[in-house]
mmCIF file of all heavy atoms in Angstrom:
data_model
loop_
_atom_site.group_PDB
_atom_site.id
_atom_site.type_symbol
_atom_site.label_atom_id
_atom_site.label_comp_id
_atom_site.label_asym_id
_atom_site.label_seq_id
_atom_site.Cartn_x
_atom_site.Cartn_y
_atom_site.Cartn_z
ATOM 1 N N PRO A 152 -14.063 1.856 11.905
ATOM 2 C CA PRO A 152 -13.997 2.336 13.285
ATOM 3 C C PRO A 152 -15.364 2.313 13.977
ATOM 4 O O PRO A 152 -16.416 2.313 13.330
ATOM 5 C CB PRO A 152 -13.493 3.772 13.137
ATOM 6 C CG PRO A 152 -13.916 4.182 11.773
ATOM 7 C CD PRO A 152 -13.942 2.932 10.933
ATOM 8 N N VAL A 153 -15.299 2.301 15.294
ATOM 9 C CA VAL A 153 -16.476 2.396 16.152
ATOM 10 C C VAL A 153 -16.269 3.629 17.021
ATOM 11 O O VAL A 153 -15.207 3.809 17.608
ATOM 12 C CB VAL A 153 -16.621 1.141 17.034
ATOM 13 C CG1 VAL A 153 -17.860 1.247 17.916
ATOM 14 C CG2 VAL A 153 -16.643 -0.126 16.191
ATOM 15 N N ASN A 154 -17.281 4.500 17.069
ATOM 16 C CA ASN A 154 -17.182 5.727 17.865
ATOM 17 C C ASN A 154 -18.356 5.854 18.805
ATOM 18 O O ASN A 154 -19.473 5.447 18.480
ATOM 19 C CB ASN A 154 -17.122 6.953 16.952
ATOM 20 C CG ASN A 154 -15.886 6.950 16.100
ATOM 21 O OD1 ASN A 154 -15.915 6.532 14.952
ATOM 22 N ND2 ASN A 154 -14.782 7.372 16.665
ATOM 23 N N LEU A 155 -18.096 6.433 19.968
ATOM 24 C CA LEU A 155 -19.141 6.759 20.935
ATOM 25 C C LEU A 155 -19.374 8.259 20.867
ATOM 26 O O LEU A 155 -18.425 9.043 20.908
ATOM 27 C CB LEU A 155 -18.718 6.358 22.346
ATOM 28 C CG LEU A 155 -18.350 4.883 22.537
ATOM 29 C CD1 LEU A 155 -17.845 4.653 23.956
ATOM 30 C CD2 LEU A 155 -19.532 3.989 22.218
ATOM 31 N N LEU A 156 -20.666 8.646 20.767
ATOM 32 C CA LEU A 156 -21.023 10.063 20.672
ATOM 33 C C LEU A 156 -22.144 10.380 21.641
ATOM 34 O O LEU A 156 -23.067 9.603 21.817
ATOM 35 C CB LEU A 156 -21.471 10.385 19.246
ATOM 36 C CG LEU A 156 -20.346 10.256 18.225
ATOM 37 C CD1 LEU A 156 -20.785 9.458 17.046
ATOM 38 C CD2 LEU A 156 -19.891 11.620 17.813
ATOM 39 N N ALA A 157 -22.066 11.566 22.221
ATOM 40 C CA ALA A 157 -23.139 12.035 23.109
ATOM 41 C C ALA A 157 -24.385 12.328 22.277
ATOM 42 O O ALA A 157 -24.308 12.766 21.126
ATOM 43 C CB ALA A 157 -22.695 13.290 23.842
ATOM 44 N N CYS A 158 -25.542 12.074 22.892
ATOM 45 C CA CYS A 158 -26.820 12.322 22.235
ATOM 46 C C CYS A 158 -27.314 13.736 22.545
ATOM 47 O O CYS A 158 -27.114 14.243 23.641
ATOM 48 C CB CYS A 158 -27.858 11.315 22.694
ATOM 49 S SG CYS A 158 -27.454 9.612 22.245
ATOM 50 N N ARG A 159 -27.972 14.328 21.577
ATOM 51 C CA ARG A 159 -28.582 15.641 21.748
ATOM 52 C C ARG A 159 -29.790 15.522 22.669
ATOM 53 O O ARG A 159 -30.047 16.401 23.485
ATOM 54 C CB ARG A 159 -29.009 16.187 20.367
ATOM 55 C CG ARG A 159 -29.715 17.523 20.423
ATOM 56 C CD ARG A 159 -30.218 17.970 19.033
ATOM 57 N NE ARG A 159 -29.130 18.243 18.128
ATOM 58 C CZ ARG A 159 -28.877 17.535 17.003
ATOM 59 N NH1 ARG A 159 -29.657 16.531 16.659
ATOM 60 N NH2 ARG A 159 -27.858 17.847 16.236
ATOM 61 N N THR A 160 -30.545 14.435 22.500
ATOM 62 C CA THR A 160 -31.787 14.253 23.243
ATOM 63 C C THR A 160 -31.691 13.003 24.111
ATOM 64 O O THR A 160 -31.063 12.006 23.702
ATOM 65 C CB THR A 160 -32.982 14.090 22.294
ATOM 66 O OG1 THR A 160 -32.734 12.987 21.414
ATOM 67 C CG2 THR A 160 -33.178 15.349 21.471
ATOM 68 N N PRO A 161 -32.282 13.039 25.297
ATOM 69 C CA PRO A 161 -32.286 11.840 26.128
ATOM 70 C C PRO A 161 -33.119 10.762 25.442
ATOM 71 O O PRO A 161 -34.002 11.053 24.637
ATOM 72 C CB PRO A 161 -32.925 12.292 27.434
ATOM 73 C CG PRO A 161 -33.656 13.542 27.111
ATOM 74 C CD PRO A 161 -33.006 14.151 25.908
ATOM 75 N N GLY A 162 -32.804 9.532 25.726
ATOM 76 C CA GLY A 162 -33.561 8.459 25.093
ATOM 77 C C GLY A 162 -33.496 7.198 25.901
ATOM 78 O O GLY A 162 -32.836 7.129 26.922
ATOM 79 N N GLU A 163 -34.203 6.223 25.394
ATOM 80 C CA GLU A 163 -34.234 4.907 26.014
ATOM 81 C C GLU A 163 -33.149 4.035 25.411
ATOM 82 O O GLU A 163 -32.841 4.153 24.234
ATOM 83 C CB GLU A 163 -35.608 4.230 25.766
ATOM 84 C CG GLU A 163 -36.779 5.012 26.344
ATOM 85 C CD GLU A 163 -36.754 5.015 27.846
ATOM 86 O OE1 GLU A 163 -36.433 3.979 28.446
ATOM 87 O OE2 GLU A 163 -37.057 6.070 28.435
ATOM 88 N N ALA A 164 -32.583 3.175 26.200
ATOM 89 C CA ALA A 164 -31.615 2.221 25.672
ATOM 90 C C ALA A 164 -32.332 1.282 24.718
ATOM 91 O O ALA A 164 -33.516 1.031 24.856
ATOM 92 C CB ALA A 164 -30.965 1.442 26.821
#
Side-chain angles (χ1 to χ4, degrees):
V153 181
N154 296 97
L155 303 176
L156 294 132
C158 297
R159 177 185 294 115
T160 57
E163 299 292 320

